[in-house]
Amino acid sequence: MKSTAEFEKIYTAYWEKLYVFSFKITQDRDLSQNIVQDIFIDFWERRSDLEINSVENYLFRAAKNQIFKHYRNNRFDKSIPEEKFENYLIENITSIDEELLDKLYSLLDKLPEKRKEILIMYKIQEMDIDQIAARLQLSKQTVKNQITSALKQLRAEMKNMDFATVLLLYFLLTFL
């Protein structure tokens, strides 16, 4: 994306979607507007350096990162429901505790093999439901059901873990 017209087209297509997404998680209009504004400022400033396969994926990942950054900078406000952190991503985990990785692998190993494979394809390999369904020769609904079941199972397994561990496991699941 090099031209102003192309940027404006992307901005027009995604501003509201990103705002709604941010607001759904933060429940704060001003914060959501600031997050979306920051995303597009960064996007414009880095436009000549970026190599993006999917603008939509890039922008939503940027929104997740900005939301997480806000909460990280505010020391993980625990008044926010844990479920809201499920979709947050963190770009730079400087050191990953071996024990944390062991917990993650242990949780994943408790999933049935096919469910685990689908979850890894979806969360780690960032494949969409259509791609997974085609590759595994399954219906889209089966893939959706397996992802939902896997996440429910992981949540159930994490119920007795402390909040910070649960949060870090979600991030690791996304970035491994």
Side-chain angles (χ1 to χ4, degrees):
M1 183 213 43
K2 305 238 191 268
S3 72
T4 305
E6 193 175 352
F7 175 81
E8 288 175 5
K9 186 176 177 181
I10 293 169
Y11 180 87
T12 302
Y14 291 103
W15 193 96
E16 187 174 359
K17 291 176 186 176
L18 291 169
Y19 172 78
V20 169
F21 173 79
S22 297
F23 182 74
K24 184 177 176 184
I25 296 171
T26 65
Q27 299 296 304
D28 183 323
R29 293 181 195 283
D30 293 333
L31 175 60
S32 298
Q33 288 176 348
N34 289 339
I35 285 169
V36 175
Q37 180 179 342
D38 289 346
I39 291 165
F40 281 107
I41 288 170
D42 182 65
F43 187 59
W44 176 254
E45 289 173 348
R46 297 177 52 210
R47 70 188 178 280
S48 58
D49 299 330
L50 294 173
E51 291 183 30
I52 300 172
N53 293 331
S54 168
V55 171
E56 183 172 15
N57 287 345
Y58 174 84
L59 292 173
F60 278 92
R61 177 166 294 213
K64 291 174 187 179
N65 287 338
Q66 286 292 331
I67 292 165
F68 178 72
K69 181 178 169 185
H70 168 77
Y71 286 110
R72 183 181 62 212
N73 291 341
N74 290 303
R75 301 218 180 254
F76 297 110
D77 182 352
K78 292 189 180 188
S79 66
I80 295 169
E82 291 178 26
E83 309 87 62
K84 294 214 176 185
F85 284 102
E86 176 181 326
N87 292 319
Y88 291 7
L89 302 176
I90 183 169
E91 210 157 32
N92 301 307
I93 297 178
T94 54
S95 65
I96 299 174
D97 187 319
E98 280 297 318
E99 186 178 330
L100 197 58
L101 279 175
D102 290 343
K103 284 181 185 178
L104 175 63
Y105 291 129
S106 164
L107 287 173
L108 289 174
D109 285 341
K110 290 180 181 180
L111 296 173
E113 201 56 43
K114 186 58 81 176
R115 190 173 291 165
K116 177 180 168 182
E117 179 182 14
I118 290 170
L119 184 66
I120 288 171
M121 292 170 92
Y122 184 69
K123 286 287 192 180
I124 297 172
Q125 296 173 356
E126 296 183 343
M127 295 173 69
D128 64 30
I129 290 171
D130 292 335
Q131 292 170 319
I132 297 168
R135 177 161 307 161
L136 298 178
Q137 298 180 337
L138 298 169
S139 72
K140 289 188 236 180
Q141 191 59 48
T142 298
V143 172
K144 289 178 189 177
N145 291 344
Q146 289 297 312
I147 292 168
T148 300
S149 295
L151 292 174
K152 280 182 185 177
Q153 187 174 343
L154 289 175
R155 275 188 216 108
E157 294 286 338
M158 289 188 222
K159 274 191 176 176
N160 295 324
M161 293 181 187
D162 65 271
F163 179 70
T165 301
V166 170
L167 181 61
L168 286 171
L169 286 171
Y170 278 127
F171 296 137
L172 287 174
L173 180 60
T174 304
F175 281 100
L176 280 182

